[in-house]
Amino acid sequence: HIHYAFKKGLPADFRLIGATTRSPEEINPAIRSRCVEIFFRSLTKDELVTIGRKAAEKAFLKVDDAQLKYAADFAQNGRDMVNIVQMAASIAKSAGRYVIEQNDIQWVADSCRYSRMIRNKLTPKTRIGKVHGLGVSGAGGSVIDIEASAEPGNGRFKVSGIVESEEFEARGQRMAKRSSAVEATDNIVTVLKNYCDIDCSKYDIHINIPNSAPVDGPSAGTAMLCAVYSAVTGCTVSGDTVLTGEISILGEVRPVGGIKQKLEAAYDAGAKRAVIPFDNMEDARLSKIDSVKGVKSIRELFDLVFDDRGRVGKSDLNAGSQSDLIAAERVIN
């Protein structure tokens, strides 16, 4: 029977559809290889408000947009939004009211232990050592604040708010690997030495990811590099600019994943300009951000995000053509 099934196939007039909230890596590889995978993005705040408004209408209660937006801050998905509005509606009815108030929503959030989600917004003010990076997770894209400080010291390099290591299973064995985001800091030290004439052994450098938002993956490389460079030199990156990309020790900016989700999050946060790897530009063609620039190298990255004081040093001159050398010399002189 099995031989016949492999040789002739089996008749089928249906499609089996499965849904899960688990990450793809948690699904059996044999099953995944036989599936067409479709990923759904997370709901926007406006979409959550629409869902909440419909839930209130079904309960024959009124609620204004300000209260719905407040409720959306506690909802991670549409089901959460419906539950919050329905319970708030019950409280309002018990009090003899036909309007849902903020106190009703607050009571539901406190009693059911809904955590308020802080959606990061870019601040137009520029600060030394502060850069906006981009990340992506199962919940979609996100804007990440990256801070760096540099003081004369003995070469200590500290990173906080980041995933230090991760564990995974392979062939029945549990193994651990160093975080690729932490490894990016080693690349930063090499790039600053080879392309910017900055010896990190003369500084005590601290990179921090605020808001207890751990980061993993190499895509924060360009943002962390620019944050450290800013802390050392005093040059700044505009507060309306976001960065993503992996850096190599040869001065290249390499492509990363999740560009569409990252740029959507950047637009929602108020970004006006995004600098991404050149090889990811095809993924950015539908972005709503005013300006999306692709870069291939550290030199191009610095030329875009810093002024003349932020251009790379003379040690990078041997990497370009003769015309590039003349132009670079002019900037440095």
Side-chain angles (χ1 to χ4, degrees):
H1 178 78
I2 294 175
H3 176 74
Y4 178 86
F6 272 95
K7 186 176 181 180
K8 301 291 186 179
L10 291 175
D13 57 358
F14 68 93
R15 290 289 184 270
L16 179 63
I17 300 175
T20 181
T21 56
R22 293 183 173 235
S23 62
E25 293 75 17
E26 298 179 80
I27 302 173
N28 187 292
I31 295 177
R32 288 189 64 193
S33 66
R34 291 163 172 80
C35 295
V36 174
E37 296 179 340
I38 300 175
F39 295 86
F40 292 88
R41 63 169 175 80
S42 57
L43 296 173
T44 65
K45 190 171 184 177
D46 289 341
E47 290 167 341
L48 290 172
V49 167
T50 300
I51 291 173
R53 184 182 298 109
K54 292 181 178 179
E57 291 173 354
K58 289 183 178 179
F60 301 102
L61 291 183
K62 295 181 179 180
V63 59
D64 58 36
D65 284 352
Q67 310 312 327
L68 289 172
K69 290 179 180 178
Y70 180 71
D73 286 339
F74 296 96
Q76 296 188 20
N77 51 57
R79 173 49 57 189
D80 284 349
M81 190 67 180
V82 171
N83 289 341
I84 292 171
V85 172
Q86 286 180 342
M87 286 187 283
S90 298
I91 296 171
K93 287 183 178 179
S94 298
R97 290 183 278 105
Y98 291 92
V99 176
I100 297 176
E101 299 177 353
Q102 182 169 319
N103 289 337
D104 303 327
I105 298 171
Q106 184 64 61
W107 188 94
V108 173
D110 292 342
S111 301
C112 300
R113 296 187 178 180
Y114 284 104
S115 298
R116 190 170 187 180
M117 300 177 62
I118 306 300
R119 292 176 169 84
N120 204 359
K121 291 290 184 181
L122 270 65
T123 54
K125 182 180 179 180
T126 60
R127 296 185 62 181
I128 295 175
K130 184 173 182 179
V131 174
H132 296 296
L134 294 175
V136 67
S137 64
S142 60
V143 175
I144 305 167
D145 289 337
I146 297 177
E147 303 172 338
S149 67
E151 301 292 339
N154 301 316
R156 289 189 293 268
F157 207 119
K158 180 180 179 182
V159 183
S160 55
I162 204 168
V163 176
E164 294 285 350
S165 63
E166 57 182 331
E167 293 186 352
F168 62 96
E169 290 188 5
R171 298 180 180 178
Q173 295 181 339
R174 181 175 293 274
M175 294 178 283
K177 68 180 290 287
R178 193 180 183 215
S179 165
S180 53
V182 174
E183 290 177 346
T185 61
D186 295 336
N187 292 358
I188 289 172
V189 172
T190 301
V191 167
L192 289 176
K193 176 65 175 178
N194 293 341
Y195 294 91
C196 307
D197 291 329
I198 295 176
D199 186 357
C200 291
S201 65
K202 298 179 180 179
Y203 300 91
D204 288 337
I205 297 173
H206 183 186
I207 297 177
N208 179 49
I209 313 296
N211 300 325
S212 299
V215 177
D216 189 26
S219 63
T222 55
M224 290 194 294
L225 171 65
C226 290
V228 173
Y229 186 88
S230 173
V232 173
T233 65
C235 300
T236 57
V237 177
S238 175
D240 61 4
T241 299
V242 293
L243 309 174
T244 187
E246 178 182 359
I247 59 172
S248 77
I249 61 174
L250 299 179
E252 300 172 345
V253 177
R254 294 178 174 174
V256 294
I259 289 295
K260 293 180 181 179
Q261 297 93 323
K262 291 175 180 178
L263 293 181
E264 287 174 0
Y267 176 78
D268 292 337
K272 301 298 183 183
R273 183 174 64 160
V275 181
I276 67 174
F278 181 83
D279 291 340
N280 284 128
M281 285 299 291
E282 178 66 19
D283 299 324
R285 63 185 185 280
L286 300 179
S287 174
K288 298 178 182 178
I289 297 178
D290 293 345
S291 173
V292 180
K293 299 292 185 180
V295 295
K296 296 181 179 179
S297 66
I298 303 302
R299 171 189 286 181
E300 294 178 3
L301 171 68
F302 278 30
D303 284 351
L304 276 176
V305 301
F306 293 117
D307 57 23
D308 286 353
R309 295 176 303 152
R311 305 300 174 90
V312 294
K314 288 187 177 181
S315 60
D316 187 41
L317 296 182
N318 56 12
S321 64
Q322 185 64 31
S323 59
D324 290 337
L325 301 184
I326 296 173
E329 285 281 8
R330 186 179 299 116
V331 168
I332 292 172
N333 294 334

